[in-house]
Amino acid sequence: MSDLALAMKDLEEEKILELVKKDLAANRSPLEIIADLNQGVVGVGQLYESGEYFVSQLMFAAEILNEVMEVLEPAMAKGGSAASAGTVVIGTVAGDVHDIGKNIVHTLLKGSGYKVVDLGVDVPTDKFIDAVAEHQPKMLGMSALLSFTYPEMKAVVEALAAKGLRDKVKVVIGGAPCNEEVREYAGADLWAPTAMDTVAFANKVYAA
Ligand code: B12
């Protein structure tokens, strides 16, 4: 693990901010910095699972990540172009309030020229469907970090089909515990393990 990943795992707030600023000053890409932080956060999750960390530590990890994102955002938004590459709708599914990963996806899509309609967290099925009907995006992104919220993603995909909207929009899912199996279960088109994969997929979908 890099110093930054270790500092994240150990929740050393000041050291993390110092390392991130140093990295940015040395022109390190924000995406590489996020990859290190992600590795540290996986460590935080493991310590939580083993009972060494509690929810308060998870919350502190989130607070630190939000702080870091504020520092990284100007560098990530640099790629943005004036012309919109298209509209993307994203949100975290009902029952789930995790939003750090989704916010990174939002920032990177925006930085890549997309107009992002971000529905926030704990988004009910109807709100996703209404947003797709209203904004007619070519891509809908759903974030789920809790395994018991997977059925919510499936429900949205089924509701899209019921409204005749399924073949008009590509559905992409993400969030740490998601995988190919979850994608298949939910009936989504792509599982994006990272925000970078999301942008690459959007570029393909919107170029078509
Ligand atoms: C921070 C955190 C919290 C914070 C969230 C704060 C916030 N504003 O988001 C708080 C403290 C609130 C929290 C609460 C809970 N949490 Co929590 N949390 C985490 C933790 C440590 C980090 C998540 C995170 O932000 N990671 C960093 C981001 C950058 O990673 P990411 O989300 O995966 O995002 C990347 C990709 O997945 C992808 N991506 C993400 N979203 C999207 C969306 C789209 C559309 C696409 C395409 C891609 C994409 O791109 C991102 C960037 O590359 C994880 C541990 C872990 N290993 O993930 C647990 C974890 C997710 N939490 C867990 C649990 C159990 C809970 C609680 C139930 C705890 C409790 N007992 O209360 C509650 C549930 C609250 C709720 N109803 O949602 C479990 C879930 C287990 C499971 N599989 O179901 C985990 C895995 C911890 C664990 N190992 O047990 N949590």
Side-chain angles (χ1 to χ4, degrees), residues 34 38 41-42 44-46 48-49 55 58-59 61-62 65-66 90 95-102 104-105 141-143 145-148 150 172-177 192-195 198:
I34 289 172
N38 255 335
V41 168
V42 170
V44 171
Q46 283 162 351
Y48 171 75
E49 266 173 39
V55 171
L58 287 187
M59 285 168 84
L65 282 170
N66 279 332
I90 62 169
D96 196 332
V97 302
H98 293 86
D99 66 356
I100 297 165
K102 169 188 71 62
I104 294 175
V105 168
M142 287 186 281
S143 192
L145 275 94
L146 300 168
S147 358
F148 60 81
Y150 297 159
V172 48
I173 65 161
T194 72
T198 315

Side-chain angles (χ1 to χ4, degrees), residues 123-132 156 159 163:
V123 180
T125 300
D126 286 356
K127 206 168 161 189
F128 276 116
I129 304 304
D130 290 349
V132 170
V156 171
K163 295 268 178 190

Side-chain angles (χ1 to χ4, degrees), residues 1-20 23 28 32-48 53 56-69 72 100 104:
M1 259 197 204
S2 68
D3 284 353
L4 181 56
L6 273 177
M8 184 67 227
K9 181 170 79 79
D10 296 338
L11 303 173
E12 293 178 279
E13 186 179 18
E14 274 176 31
K15 187 168 178 192
I16 294 166
L17 287 168
E18 194 187 300
L19 288 172
V20 166
D23 276 352
R28 191 171 181 222
E32 279 175 30
I33 297 174
I34 289 172
D36 269 359
L37 291 167
N38 255 335
Q39 217 186 346
V41 168
V42 170
V44 171
Q46 283 162 351
L47 289 169
Y48 171 75
Y53 277 178
S56 55
Q57 267 104 352
L58 287 187
M59 285 168 84
F60 188 41
E63 230 173 81
I64 296 174
L65 282 170
N66 279 332
E67 255 180 278
V68 173
M69 287 313 294
L72 290 180
I100 297 165
I104 294 175

Side-chain angles (χ1 to χ4, degrees), residues 86-167:
T87 301
V88 181
V89 172
I90 62 169
T92 299
V93 298
D96 196 332
V97 302
H98 293 86
D99 66 356
I100 297 165
K102 169 188 71 62
N103 293 344
I104 294 175
V105 168
H106 180 152
T107 309
L108 276 192
L109 282 170
K110 207 166 92 184
S112 306
Y114 292 92
K115 179 186 165 203
V116 183
V117 178
D118 189 338
L119 304 175
V121 297
D122 194 13
V123 180
T125 300
D126 286 356
K127 206 168 161 189
F128 276 116
I129 304 304
D130 290 349
V132 170
E134 184 186 341
H135 301 285
Q136 304 189 346
K138 280 191 187 177
M139 192 172 106
L140 166 68
M142 287 186 281
S143 192
L145 275 94
L146 300 168
S147 358
F148 60 81
T149 60
Y150 297 159
E152 299 295 336
M153 298 194 282
K154 190 179 168 73
V156 171
V157 173
E158 285 172 358
L160 284 172
K163 295 268 178 190
L165 295 166
R166 181 65 186 95
D167 56 352

Side-chain angles (χ1 to χ4, degrees), residues 71-87:
V71 177
L72 290 180
E73 195 162 327
M76 286 204 289
K78 260 187 200 156
S81 62
S84 175
T87 301

